[in-house]
Amino acid sequence: MKLHSILFIILSLILTNNRGYPQSQSSQEEKDWKEFNELKLLYYNTPEQEAKAKSPSLLVYKRYEDEVYSKRSVMAEKFMNNYPESKYYKEVLQWYLSAFFLPVFIRETIEKERLEILNAFYGPDKWKGADRFRRVLPINKSAMELWLEKGNKYVEKFLASNASPQDKFEIEQSLINRDVFIANRWFVGLERESLEEDFWEQFYQFYWESIYQRIEQLFYKYSELESMTHYANRFVKYVTDHSKVPSLRKYYWQRFYEFTNEKEHAKHKGISALQKVALDNLKALNTQDMNDNKAKSKALEMSFTAMDGTKVNLKNMRGKVVLIDFWSTYCPPCIKEMPHVKELYDKYKDNGFEVIGIIANGEESREQIMKIMEKTRATWPQRLDKASNVSVSYHSLYNINSLPTVWLLDKEGRIVDRNARGERLEPLIRKYLELD
């Protein structure tokens, strides 16, 4: 259940028009809406269901997941069919297109030889080599095609309505997200060797080409919406993180920049905003390349406006030892470490020790972040890495894929440690402050 809880947090951030429960629950529509909200992420509520959800057999687990997600889809379809003019239609449709409502489409009957392979994924390490399991799993293609066709029709209906361009754009994003998830479902975890990066770069450039072209067409269609830039950021981060080929980041930002640089696009404010973001990312990536190539001698460059309005520029912090804490509100170990960092910050700040936080969250988490900072007494500058005015995500730029990640910079601004936390932090601070 832990994975589903994390995914729920992520999806709640993506569903930007979540209105919550209405005040009146009297009508049948309101009752059905309340029921939908109560059941949309229910995974099990009986001992028998829990046993399947926690089964040591990966096949049993996947069959149960298929059953749960299929029921969710049917529930969403029923609501949209019964209330085609509902003010909740958009939100239900977004859930319907999400990974939480996407069945696995496992065939009911499985031939003996295939079944023997699938049943071998059993025990505490049932997920070991699960990419092999996914490739062997028999898919009911006709059921999957029917489900996709239904989703497409619901989207077409919404796009033909009098909904705002922003709402229509978000639904079209959700449709692409659905297809990205399906495309990626059977390819996550493909084994590769360290010397195969060139091959995988070419593979994924070709693999994601149709999705990129759909996104480009989406930007043509909604060329006045500046919110497109955030979707471009998410696409580049998703592809790079899941393919584990960092060079794709520069490849796709270059593609976006070339697309927006065409003369006929200059007058559209959405595409102009996208061009700026693409250019900012390309500049940042070029700077990163310089840092990587001269890792021993090149100082890290980073500048931003913190949550409290403080202007932060690492160039102005030369001569000090700086701790850069990459964290997020959904990383308990990150938050647990903060009181310890605060203790060392108070102890050594007069000696030239500074701390800055880079948070993998956006504006929607501001209140929660403020509570965390107050509780941990973290008084140093914090950057919202996914704020609406952010062009370049440092988590994405520097491939920060696991948290906590804590860097320590020496007085020249060079990264001297990439895991500066816990008991080893204070000796590092003293070493680079030259106190020993």
Side-chain angles (χ1 to χ4, degrees):
M1 291 299 292
K2 181 179 180 182
L3 176 59
H4 289 82
S5 298
I6 295 172
L7 289 174
F8 173 69
I9 293 171
I10 296 172
L11 188 64
S12 296
L13 302 180
I14 295 174
L15 295 180
T16 56
N17 197 27
N18 191 340
R19 302 175 180 86
Y21 287 45
Q23 293 297 314
S24 173
Q25 301 283 333
S26 58
S27 71
Q28 187 61 46
E29 179 184 342
E30 299 294 353
K31 290 179 181 178
D32 290 346
W33 166 247
K34 182 178 180 180
E35 181 182 26
F36 177 85
N37 273 282
E38 290 172 346
L39 299 178
K40 66 187 178 188
L41 289 176
L42 178 67
Y43 203 63
Y44 57 78
N45 61 357
T46 69
E48 293 77 16
Q49 292 173 339
E50 182 178 6
K52 292 179 181 179
K54 297 181 178 180
S55 171
S57 167
L58 185 53
L59 180 57
V60 171
Y61 169 84
K62 279 295 180 182
R63 279 198 180 280
Y64 180 68
E65 181 183 88
D66 195 14
E67 177 185 339
V68 171
Y69 288 12
S70 295
K71 287 181 179 178
R72 290 176 183 174
S73 285
V74 170
M75 180 176 64
E77 289 175 23
K78 182 179 178 181
F79 188 94
M80 290 187 289
N81 291 337
N82 287 343
Y83 310 107
E85 304 301 324
S86 173
K87 61 182 178 181
Y88 307 118
Y89 191 96
K90 175 197 168 188
E91 187 171 340
V92 175
L93 179 53
Q94 284 182 297
W95 280 105
Y96 183 75
L97 297 172
S98 76
F100 300 89
F101 282 57
L102 172 58
V104 186
F105 304 107
I106 303 174
R107 285 208 306 261
E108 187 173 342
T109 58
I110 305 176
E111 58 269 32
K112 182 179 178 181
E113 182 180 4
R114 191 188 297 258
L115 190 60
E116 288 177 355
I117 296 174
L118 296 173
N119 283 332
F121 293 84
Y122 187 92
D125 59 346
K126 64 182 178 182
W127 287 99
K128 187 176 181 180
D131 56 309
R132 166 73 170 161
F133 177 90
R134 286 191 292 268
R135 294 198 297 270
V136 177
L137 197 65
I139 301 302
N140 186 334
K141 295 181 180 178
S142 59
M144 183 175 177
E145 289 171 359
L146 178 61
W147 183 85
L148 291 171
E149 184 180 352
K150 285 182 180 179
N152 293 342
K153 288 182 177 179
Y154 287 125
V155 170
E156 288 173 7
K157 174 186 178 301
F158 188 84
L159 296 180
S161 72
N162 61 355
S164 70
Q166 179 64 41
D167 284 346
K168 291 181 179 181
F169 176 57
E170 289 174 12
I171 288 298
E172 294 210 58
Q173 285 183 55
S174 296
L175 182 65
I176 292 178
N177 290 345
R178 178 201 70 178
D179 296 343
V180 165
F181 187 83
I182 293 172
N184 207 42
R185 171 184 271 179
W186 289 279
F187 292 92
V188 173
L190 288 177
E191 295 181 3
R192 64 200 64 187
E193 295 180 6
S194 59
L195 297 179
E196 296 176 348
E197 184 172 340
D198 289 344
F199 169 82
W200 288 110
E201 181 178 3
Q202 295 302 313
F203 174 85
Y204 282 109
Q205 284 179 14
F206 177 79
Y207 183 69
W208 292 112
E209 179 62 23
S210 62
I211 296 293
Y212 171 81
Q213 290 182 4
R214 284 175 63 182
I215 293 173
E216 192 174 278
Q217 291 302 313
L218 202 62
F219 291 170
Y220 271 120
K221 188 173 180 180
Y222 300 98
S223 58
E224 294 302 312
L225 296 179
E226 296 184 53
S227 56
M228 294 190 306
T229 60
H230 308 303
Y231 190 60
N233 251 320
R234 290 202 298 272
F235 169 75
V236 175
K237 186 177 188 307
Y238 183 91
V239 170
T240 306
D241 289 353
H242 285 264
S243 68
K244 293 181 171 55
V245 182
S247 56
L248 287 179
R249 186 172 291 117
K250 181 177 287 189
Y251 170 79
Y252 280 111
W253 280 124
Q254 187 65 43
R255 292 283 300 274
F256 280 126
Y257 179 71
E258 291 171 356
F259 157 67
T260 60
N261 205 32
E262 297 175 13
K263 289 183 179 180
E264 64 268 25
H265 294 158
K267 60 184 178 180
H268 301 293
K269 63 180 182 180
I271 292 183
S272 295
L274 177 61
Q275 182 184 67
K276 181 183 182 304
V277 170
L279 186 58
D280 287 347
N281 275 275
L282 288 172
K283 287 180 178 178
L285 287 165
N286 289 333
T287 300
Q288 182 194 16
D289 289 343
M290 291 174 63
N291 288 334
D292 290 343
N293 294 333
K294 301 178 180 179
K296 298 297 182 182
S297 59
K298 187 72 176 178
L300 186 71
E301 293 186 17
M302 185 184 288
S303 63
F304 59 88
T305 300
M307 289 177 61
D308 61 1
T310 302
K311 302 292 184 181
V312 177
N313 191 328
L314 288 182
K315 288 183 179 179
N316 299 330
M317 303 174 82
R318 302 289 188 260
K320 296 185 177 184
V321 173
V322 182
L323 189 76
I324 303 179
D325 181 19
F326 295 91
W327 68 284
S328 78
T329 56
Y330 47 84
C331 173
C334 301
I335 299 168
K336 185 178 179 180
E337 180 82 2
M338 286 183 183
H340 176 55
V341 175
K342 170 62 174 175
E343 180 183 342
L344 297 178
Y345 176 66
D346 289 343
K347 185 175 181 179
Y348 292 106
K349 63 181 178 180
D350 291 339
N351 297 98
F353 177 56
E354 296 289 348
V355 182
I356 59 177
I358 310 294
I359 316 167
N361 294 81
E363 294 289 347
E364 74 288 334
S365 301
R366 181 178 286 270
E367 184 177 348
Q368 184 182 3
I369 292 167
M370 296 302 291
K371 289 180 180 178
I372 292 171
M373 292 170 63
E374 182 179 356
K375 184 176 180 179
T376 60
R377 299 185 298 116
T379 55
W380 46 87
Q382 302 281 354
R383 187 214 204 206
L384 289 173
D385 213 28
K386 295 181 181 178
S388 57
N389 61 342
V390 168
S391 296
V392 180
S393 163
Y394 288 125
H395 281 79
S396 179
L397 177 64
Y398 295 115
N399 259 347
I400 308 298
N401 295 320
S402 63
L403 298 174
T405 292
V406 189
W407 292 353
L408 191 70
L409 310 185
D410 65 11
K411 292 181 179 181
E412 302 300 321
R414 298 169 298 196
I415 302 172
V416 291
D417 196 284
R418 295 175 183 267
N419 187 31
R421 55 190 302 267
E423 294 181 359
R424 62 194 304 271
L425 176 55
E426 185 169 12
L428 286 169
I429 294 172
R430 294 187 63 83
K431 175 182 176 180
Y432 289 101
L433 284 175
E434 301 172 345
L435 297 177
D436 292 330

